[in-house]
Amino acid sequence: MNATITQTGGPELAERAALELEEASAQEIIAWAAETFGSELCMTSSMADALMVDLASKTAPGIDVIFLDTGYHFPETIGTRDAVASVYDINLITVEPKRTVAEQDLALGPRLHGRDPGICCHLRKVEPLQRALEPYSAWLTGLRREDSVTRRDTPIVQWDRRRQMTKINPIARWTQQEVDTYMTENGVIVNPLQYDGYPSIGCEPCTRRVAPGEDPRSGRWAGSGKTECGIHT
């Protein structure tokens, strides 16, 4: 449990803030988070695009941005990460799993992502993020209610019981049109895979192109029945 959480957050604060900030702009929500949590606020980014990075860097310059390098990313995702780190006023923190892909293959057998994607995601995403978030009391995410059925009830602010910290979702209410408009008007960096049929980008072995009209997240773990990596569930 984060040492300062009882001073700067908790379920009561999250519940109250969720109600008060429901109609607030993303910039106002981020400003509230920065004022409330200060240096104990961070954000995560999958580097599918830099929308949230753009918003956060303007409102909370120098913010810590956590990127999980699973060892399975597309080269385009790593390139996007490097471009984001050089362009925006952020402190990029790349976090890696305890084992390299080769070490995991040796210990658990090759292609664990195909045999048991749940365990693979836990080892290469969930556990590393848990470690990375330990110094913080709150984190910003880019979750949107439109993303999928599992995210349609995403609150603006919520209490993350598993991690005992406050989770803030500033663009939860945004539509895809609002996302596209903001990124165009602000010249936001976008992972080039977005223009090649990958509206939702994860690890290369577990992500496929999505046909026009398909659910944007249908290309993640296709055919496995899995819809989330475990970070947000």
Side-chain angles (χ1 to χ4, degrees), residues 56-105:
S57 65
K58 291 173 178 176
T59 308
I63 189 171
D64 289 350
V65 176
I66 296 171
F67 171 73
L68 300 175
D69 187 350
T70 65
Y72 283 119
H73 282 303
F74 290 92
E76 291 88 344
T77 300
I78 299 301
T80 300
R81 175 202 64 182
D82 295 343
V84 166
S86 67
V87 169
Y88 295 96
D89 186 0
I90 61 168
N91 177 37
L92 181 73
I93 301 172
T94 294
V95 178
E96 299 177 348
K98 290 182 178 178
R99 288 172 171 161
T100 65
V101 171
E103 290 169 343
Q104 179 174 291
D105 287 350

Side-chain angles (χ1 to χ4, degrees), residues 116-149:
D116 196 328
I119 292 179
C120 191
C121 283
H122 180 81
L123 294 174
R124 311 206 71 77
K125 289 184 176 182
V126 178
E127 192 280 330
L129 181 62
Q130 182 71 31
R131 285 187 283 110
L133 290 176
E134 286 180 358
Y136 306 97
S137 295
W139 60 309
L140 301 170
T141 85
L143 291 181
R144 292 190 304 118
R145 293 167 186 168
E146 264 196 6
D147 282 340
S148 66
V149 172

Side-chain angles (χ1 to χ4, degrees), residues 37 66 83 105 115 133 153-154 164 186 213 231:
F37 299 101
I66 296 171
D105 287 350
R115 293 181 288 109
L133 290 176
D153 296 322
T154 299
Q164 291 292 289
N186 292 273
I231 286 176

Side-chain angles (χ1 to χ4, degrees), residues 192-207:
L193 291 172
Q194 294 267 9
Y195 305 116
D196 192 28
Y198 294 90
S200 181
I201 304 166
C203 293
E204 185 171 7
C206 300
T207 308

